Amino acid sequence: MTKNLNTMVETVRELFQDSTLLVRQEIQLAKAEAAEKAEQVKLGVAEIAAGGIIALVALIVLTQALVVALANFMPGSLAALLVGVSLALVAWLCISRGQRNLSSENLAPRRTTRSVRETANRVTEAV
């Protein structure tokens, strides 16, 4: 009887130690993943800012193209218009990509969530 009790106490002690270790590892994983997501946020913000600057340049060029087109009715305005439209497209692409990087779906801590579920299942099975 004492041997069974000692074995059970040792099993509970090991389970507690393993659970403590798993919780610490989960916390480390969550911290690492949060750092990755912070980098992703910074990149997304930088891309949106770059897109905004390019959009401003596109607006200036498109405005210039309109002025030239209205003032001169010359083919040179077509070149300015093409450059302005091209810059507007690049700006749209940058902003779209930045918004995608900032979406809540991309920022969710998937690995941590999966790992916590797996840990909970292992602890449940062990108990």
Side-chain angles (χ1 to χ4, degrees), residues 27-89:
I27 290 170
Q28 288 174 343
L29 177 61
K31 286 179 182 178
E33 196 166 6
E36 285 178 16
K37 297 303 178 181
E39 281 299 315
Q40 189 174 358
V41 167
K42 287 188 336 190
L43 179 62
V45 168
E47 288 174 333
I48 289 173
I53 291 168
I54 294 170
L56 179 61
V57 171
L59 182 61
I60 291 169
V61 172
L62 287 170
T63 302
Q64 179 188 6
L66 179 60
V67 170
V68 170
L70 292 175
N72 299 320
F73 296 103
M74 294 177 61
S77 63
L78 182 59
L81 186 60
L82 286 174
V83 169
V85 169
S86 297
L87 286 173
L89 179 61

Side-chain angles (χ1 to χ4, degrees), residues 12-23 25 119 123:
V12 170
R13 183 179 299 130
E14 287 177 12
L15 178 62
F16 179 75
Q17 289 172 343
D18 290 346
S19 297
T20 302
L21 177 63
L22 285 173
V23 167
Q25 289 173 340
T119 300
V123 168

